[in-house]
PDB file of all heavy atoms in Angstrom:
ATOM      1  N   ARG B   7      42.754  21.389   5.196  1.00  0.00           N
ATOM      2  CA  ARG B   7      43.998  21.844   4.527  1.00  0.00           C
ATOM      3  C   ARG B   7      44.207  23.293   4.954  1.00  0.00           C
ATOM      4  O   ARG B   7      43.328  24.142   4.745  1.00  0.00           O
ATOM      5  CB  ARG B   7      43.826  21.746   3.014  1.00  0.00           C
ATOM      6  CG  ARG B   7      45.088  22.071   2.225  1.00  0.00           C
ATOM      7  CD  ARG B   7      44.727  22.228   0.754  1.00  0.00           C
ATOM      8  NE  ARG B   7      44.284  20.979   0.154  1.00  0.00           N
ATOM      9  CZ  ARG B   7      45.085  20.118  -0.471  1.00  0.00           C
ATOM     10  NH1 ARG B   7      46.366  20.389  -0.588  1.00  0.00           N
ATOM     11  NH2 ARG B   7      44.602  19.030  -0.997  1.00  0.00           N
ATOM     12  N   PHE B   8      45.355  23.553   5.581  1.00  0.00           N
ATOM     13  CA  PHE B   8      45.621  24.922   6.011  1.00  0.00           C
ATOM     14  C   PHE B   8      47.129  25.110   6.124  1.00  0.00           C
ATOM     15  O   PHE B   8      47.887  24.133   6.126  1.00  0.00           O
ATOM     16  CB  PHE B   8      44.931  25.233   7.349  1.00  0.00           C
ATOM     17  CG  PHE B   8      45.262  24.283   8.448  1.00  0.00           C
ATOM     18  CD1 PHE B   8      46.282  24.556   9.349  1.00  0.00           C
ATOM     19  CD2 PHE B   8      44.553  23.098   8.579  1.00  0.00           C
ATOM     20  CE1 PHE B   8      46.575  23.656  10.370  1.00  0.00           C
ATOM     21  CE2 PHE B   8      44.847  22.199   9.595  1.00  0.00           C
ATOM     22  CZ  PHE B   8      45.856  22.481  10.492  1.00  0.00           C
ATOM     23  N   ALA B 144      49.664  34.071   5.440  1.00  0.00           N
ATOM     24  CA  ALA B 144      48.791  35.108   4.884  1.00  0.00           C
ATOM     25  C   ALA B 144      47.570  34.471   4.245  1.00  0.00           C
ATOM     26  O   ALA B 144      47.660  33.439   3.576  1.00  0.00           O
ATOM     27  CB  ALA B 144      49.554  35.923   3.851  1.00  0.00           C
ATOM     28  N   ALA B 145      46.407  35.102   4.460  1.00  0.00           N
ATOM     29  CA  ALA B 145      45.149  34.511   3.998  1.00  0.00           C
ATOM     30  C   ALA B 145      45.146  34.245   2.501  1.00  0.00           C
ATOM     31  O   ALA B 145      44.566  33.273   2.042  1.00  0.00           O
ATOM     32  CB  ALA B 145      44.000  35.422   4.375  1.00  0.00           C
ATOM     33  N   ARG B 146      45.834  35.146   1.757  1.00  0.00           N
ATOM     34  CA  ARG B 146      45.820  34.935   0.309  1.00  0.00           C
ATOM     35  C   ARG B 146      46.484  33.602  -0.064  1.00  0.00           C
ATOM     36  O   ARG B 146      46.191  33.005  -1.074  1.00  0.00           O
ATOM     37  CB  ARG B 146      46.498  36.106  -0.406  1.00  0.00           C
ATOM     38  CG  ARG B 146      47.963  36.216  -0.117  1.00  0.00           C
ATOM     39  CD  ARG B 146      48.585  37.444  -0.803  1.00  0.00           C
ATOM     40  NE  ARG B 146      49.861  37.784  -0.197  1.00  0.00           N
ATOM     41  CZ  ARG B 146      50.979  37.121  -0.389  1.00  0.00           C
ATOM     42  NH1 ARG B 146      50.998  36.075  -1.193  1.00  0.00           N
ATOM     43  NH2 ARG B 146      52.080  37.490   0.210  1.00  0.00           N
ATOM     44  N   ASP B 147      47.441  33.177   0.800  1.00  0.00           N
ATOM     45  CA  ASP B 147      48.140  31.934   0.489  1.00  0.00           C
ATOM     46  C   ASP B 147      47.287  30.724   0.870  1.00  0.00           C
ATOM     47  O   ASP B 147      47.209  29.753   0.152  1.00  0.00           O
ATOM     48  CB  ASP B 147      49.458  31.830   1.268  1.00  0.00           C
ATOM     49  CG  ASP B 147      50.416  32.928   0.838  1.00  0.00           C
ATOM     50  OD1 ASP B 147      50.308  33.347  -0.319  1.00  0.00           O
ATOM     51  OD2 ASP B 147      51.224  33.354   1.675  1.00  0.00           O
ATOM     52  N   ALA B 148      46.714  30.794   2.068  1.00  0.00           N
ATOM     53  CA  ALA B 148      46.144  29.540   2.556  1.00  0.00           C
ATOM     54  C   ALA B 148      44.997  29.722   3.540  1.00  0.00           C
ATOM     55  O   ALA B 148      45.175  29.508   4.717  1.00  0.00           O
ATOM     56  CB  ALA B 148      47.269  28.753   3.234  1.00  0.00           C
ATOM     57  N   PRO B 149      43.860  30.117   3.087  1.00  0.00           N
ATOM     58  CA  PRO B 149      42.719  30.043   4.005  1.00  0.00           C
ATOM     59  C   PRO B 149      42.422  28.581   4.308  1.00  0.00           C
ATOM     60  O   PRO B 149      42.595  27.726   3.425  1.00  0.00           O
ATOM     61  CB  PRO B 149      41.581  30.680   3.198  1.00  0.00           C
ATOM     62  CG  PRO B 149      41.971  30.539   1.761  1.00  0.00           C
ATOM     63  CD  PRO B 149      43.455  30.527   1.740  1.00  0.00           C
ATOM     64  N   ALA B 150      42.056  28.292   5.555  1.00  0.00           N
ATOM     65  CA  ALA B 150      41.788  26.890   5.900  1.00  0.00           C
ATOM     66  C   ALA B 150      40.620  26.369   5.073  1.00  0.00           C
ATOM     67  O   ALA B 150      39.649  27.055   4.845  1.00  0.00           O
ATOM     68  CB  ALA B 150      41.470  26.785   7.387  1.00  0.00           C
ATOM     69  N   GLN B 151      40.773  25.151   4.604  1.00  0.00           N
ATOM     70  CA  GLN B 151      39.710  24.508   3.807  1.00  0.00           C
ATOM     71  C   GLN B 151      39.322  23.201   4.470  1.00  0.00           C
ATOM     72  O   GLN B 151      40.174  22.470   4.962  1.00  0.00           O
ATOM     73  CB  GLN B 151      40.211  24.214   2.389  1.00  0.00           C
ATOM     74  CG  GLN B 151      40.529  25.465   1.599  1.00  0.00           C
ATOM     75  CD  GLN B 151      41.167  25.107   0.259  1.00  0.00           C
ATOM     76  OE1 GLN B 151      41.241  23.960  -0.125  1.00  0.00           O
ATOM     77  NE2 GLN B 151      41.617  26.138  -0.439  1.00  0.00           N
TER      78      GLN B 151
END
Side-chain angles (χ1 to χ4, degrees):
Chain B
R7 185 192 293 268
F8 54 95
R146 66 183 162 76
D147 296 331
Q151 295 173 8

